[in-house]
Amino acid sequence: MSIRTRLKGLTLRDEEVLRRVGGHLGSLAGRDLAARCADGLAHSSRRWAERKRELTAECSARWAGSITRATHDQWALSRRSQAAHLQSLDAAVGAIGHRLSLPVGAKGGRGASGGYRSRAEWFAKSRRLAALEERRRRVTADFTAGRVRVVRSGRTLARTRHHLSEAGLSLQQWRQRWEAARWFLTAGGESGKRYGNETIRIAPDGQVSIKLPAPLAGLANAPHGRYVLASRVSFAHRGQEWADRVEANRATAYRLHLDTERGRWYVDAAWQRPPVHVLPLEAACASGVVAVDTNADHLAAWRLDTSGNPVGRPVRFDYDLTGTAEHRDAQLRHALTRLLHYTRRTGAKAIAVEDLDFTDSTTREKHGRNRRFRQLISGIPTSRLKARLASMAVEHGLALVAVDPAYTSRWGGQHWQQPTSTPTRKTSRHEAASIVIGRRALGLGARRRTAPPPHHRSDGAGHRTAQARHHGPGREGTRPTRTAPRTRSVRPPDE
């Protein structure tokens, strides 16, 4: 859980102290990151303790602990990103190699790509395959040796230095962003300590004080080498929850940072929530579910009762995922917030979503020139939506059920689109797919009704139609075609 507020009313003295503390700790963090990257896979807990002792002499034990912990997390994140990059290179090399092995113009089968369309495209892809194999060789060598390449403050900002005119920045503006991004003003919380943090402490009344590093202790304006800011903070979002934590001396982490574009200082407060308990599927779906079909520009939701029948009409939650990353994130959070509020109003206790993963489908090697399709599936926020929805649903006391996404749109259009349409309101294919998603979460098949009795079409074996029961493997597949004709003298095989 993380919340943010602005530091208002800072004096020039306060800003000068924050800049000097952030610059000093940032230089220590950069040096520690270089040492961690140099250790590579040979790093150990003993080496971690040595790095912390070296930093303690120039700041404090708590600042040194925060720096080494942040360094370790940054190295681990780079390591995971390196592994993901290597996996994507393997997939690209395999896809291109497969298509190059086929004759030019060969058609692909189900789930497999065909050959390239022309000799020119075949030659260009062979050159690209050589480049990707060389890149994979370098990445594999780095991964095996434990080498990672990390840029503090971000590689994008570092590259912007060479394109200032395109970014609309002067050299001084870029330098301000670069230095502010490399400052380190982050302190982890400690349970049992006063207000949950001994390094950056925020009292329930909003008073902010910072434990100064040893070389900057002369700047203190409070006892015990602390500096108290003139600004008083208050958290509008979840402020009462934060106040309850600090009054109980529970661990709360803080981060101070400067927005150079606006010239404003902000403080982030973060803490961990208790682990989420996994509910049985029957308990989560006891009040029905709200099924959601994820698309590139909207979420299609429909409320289903415990029998798998749609209740009311579907609801659509639009979002626009163009523009900056902050705008896209805000749009997604707003759509999910409306979805959660709608779910609570319906009385359901669970949300059913598709377990989508387009990691291997967004590359041009798999779908070739079908650029519009690649852009379509790339625009669907699968990973971000699942991560956001999982964390936000816990806050509302809702369960999340992930189901197999196979053929949801096809079965929804075949079995539910026409029956749920009205003369004035036609059900879309996405809305019909949400019904199939919800029925799968409830353990039901996609069909509305089972087929009539197989041996004859009278009521001798029961009613002509019956409600579809819980499905087994293959129940949603198409019915097999009959090879032998039905006659009065030949009994049809049992189905």
Side-chain angles (χ1 to χ4, degrees):
M1 172 59 63
S2 179
I3 56 179
R4 174 178 297 180
T5 189
R6 182 183 171 188
L7 286 170
K8 299 181 180 180
L10 290 176
T11 63
L12 295 178
R13 174 69 172 175
D14 293 342
E15 294 190 9
E16 178 63 22
V17 170
L18 291 177
R19 291 174 185 271
R20 293 186 61 178
V21 173
H24 175 71
L25 296 176
S27 64
L28 298 180
R31 190 175 68 188
D32 185 67
L33 180 60
R36 176 63 187 90
C37 293
D39 292 340
L41 298 179
H43 184 263
S44 61
S45 58
R46 180 185 59 82
R47 178 56 182 156
W48 193 336
E50 292 177 358
R51 288 175 23 231
K52 184 176 179 180
R53 282 195 298 269
E54 294 173 0
L55 295 176
T56 302
E58 301 186 52
C59 50
S60 68
R62 289 186 172 88
W63 278 122
S66 298
I67 291 174
T68 54
R69 185 164 51 250
T71 297
H72 180 76
D73 293 342
Q74 193 169 10
W75 186 90
L77 176 61
S78 301
R79 183 75 172 171
R80 292 193 299 270
S81 300
Q82 192 179 49
H85 181 45
L86 184 60
Q87 184 179 3
S88 66
L89 289 176
D90 290 339
V93 168
I96 296 180
H98 168 71
R99 298 190 68 181
L100 288 176
S101 65
L102 300 177
V104 175
K107 295 184 178 180
R110 174 170 295 185
S113 303
Y116 290 107
R117 300 183 181 182
S118 63
R119 293 293 303 176
E121 186 178 6
W122 187 96
F123 177 78
K125 289 297 182 179
S126 65
R127 296 298 86 204
R128 175 168 172 79
L129 177 62
L132 289 177
E133 288 178 341
E134 175 61 22
R135 189 185 306 172
R136 182 177 65 173
R137 184 191 64 78
R138 296 196 305 267
V139 175
T140 303
D142 289 342
F143 186 80
T144 304
R147 290 189 299 267
V148 298
R149 308 180 188 278
V150 185
V151 179
R152 291 195 68 241
S153 74
R155 187 174 300 177
T156 302
L157 185 58
R159 290 177 176 174
T160 305
R161 170 64 179 84
H162 307 287
H163 307 279
L164 296 178
S165 58
E166 291 85 347
L169 297 174
S170 64
L171 180 59
Q172 183 180 3
Q173 291 174 333
W174 178 87
R175 178 63 63 181
Q176 290 176 352
R177 291 189 182 184
W178 177 259
E179 292 177 352
R182 295 173 68 87
W183 291 341
F184 187 90
L185 285 169
T186 304
E190 297 175 276
S191 293
K193 300 297 181 180
R194 189 179 183 187
Y195 302 142
N197 199 311
E198 284 285 345
T199 310
I200 300 178
R201 181 184 297 164
I202 302 181
D205 59 357
Q207 185 187 67
V208 183
S209 65
I210 304 173
K211 176 66 176 179
L212 298 178
L216 302 178
L219 303 176
N221 61 358
H224 308 293
R226 306 190 69 87
Y227 187 88
V228 179
L229 301 179
S231 173
R232 296 294 181 105
V233 301
S234 61
F235 294 96
H237 179 63
R238 298 192 178 276
Q240 187 58 47
E241 186 175 352
W242 166 82
D244 294 340
R245 290 190 64 88
V246 297
E247 289 178 354
N249 297 331
R250 299 175 64 186
T252 307
Y254 297 105
R255 173 176 173 261
L256 305 177
H257 56 98
L258 172 64
D259 187 344
T260 55
E261 296 184 15
R262 301 178 179 180
R264 299 175 178 177
W265 283 89
Y266 293 90
V267 56
D268 296 346
W271 59 88
Q272 289 186 347
R273 287 193 168 272
V276 181
H277 298 286
V278 179
L279 295 176
L281 184 61
E282 295 77 8
C285 301
S287 302
V289 298
V290 171
V292 180
D293 181 62
T294 307
N295 301 281
D297 58 348
H298 74 281
L299 301 174
W302 208 325
R303 165 85 160 92
L304 274 68
D305 59 16
T306 55
S307 300
N309 300 315
V311 178
R313 294 302 303 170
V315 182
R316 176 185 173 119
F317 305 101
D318 296 294
Y319 46 77
D320 180 18
L321 297 182
T322 60
T324 63
E326 288 147 1
H327 172 75
R328 297 194 301 268
D329 189 61
Q331 286 280 308
L332 191 60
R333 281 189 284 107
H334 182 53
L336 293 180
T337 300
R338 288 182 292 159
L339 171 64
L340 294 172
H341 290 170
Y342 165 76
T343 304
R344 295 189 65 179
R345 288 197 302 269
T346 60
K349 300 298 182 182
I351 299 177
V353 295
E354 297 174 289
D355 190 12
L356 295 172
D357 186 10
F358 295 134
T359 304
D360 60 343
S361 301
T362 56
T363 61
R364 55 184 174 178
E365 283 75 22
K366 182 170 184 179
H367 296 287
R369 298 179 179 179
N370 198 346
R371 185 176 181 181
R372 292 188 60 185
F373 181 72
R374 288 191 284 111
Q375 290 178 342
L376 174 64
I377 60 179
S378 298
I380 299 178
T382 55
S383 59
R384 285 180 298 165
L385 184 138
K386 286 189 292 186
R388 284 282 185 189
L389 185 57
S391 60
M392 296 174 67
V394 175
E395 303 298 326
H396 292 263
L398 300 175
L400 198 63
V401 182
V403 301
D404 184 7
Y407 304 110
T408 54
S409 297
R410 179 181 298 181
W411 296 125
Q414 180 177 349
H415 299 293
W416 292 96
Q417 188 173 10
Q418 191 275 334
T420 56
S421 299
T422 64
T424 59
R425 175 68 162 80
K426 182 179 179 181
T427 302
S428 69
R429 191 177 181 89
H430 304 300
E431 294 167 348
S434 66
I435 300 179
V436 179
I437 295 171
R439 290 179 66 87
R440 284 184 177 174
L442 295 169
L444 302 173
R447 292 192 183 96
R448 298 174 56 242
R449 298 281 181 177
T450 59
H455 51 280
H456 57 78
R457 295 299 181 263
S458 66
D459 289 340
H463 295 291
R464 292 174 181 266
T465 58
Q467 181 66 36
R469 295 171 295 179
H470 288 261
H471 71 284
R475 187 176 181 85
E476 295 181 0
T478 56
R479 294 180 59 82
T481 57
R482 185 176 300 279
T483 57
R486 293 193 177 205
T487 62
R488 294 184 178 182
S489 59
V490 179
R491 180 179 178 84
D494 294 335
E495 295 183 347

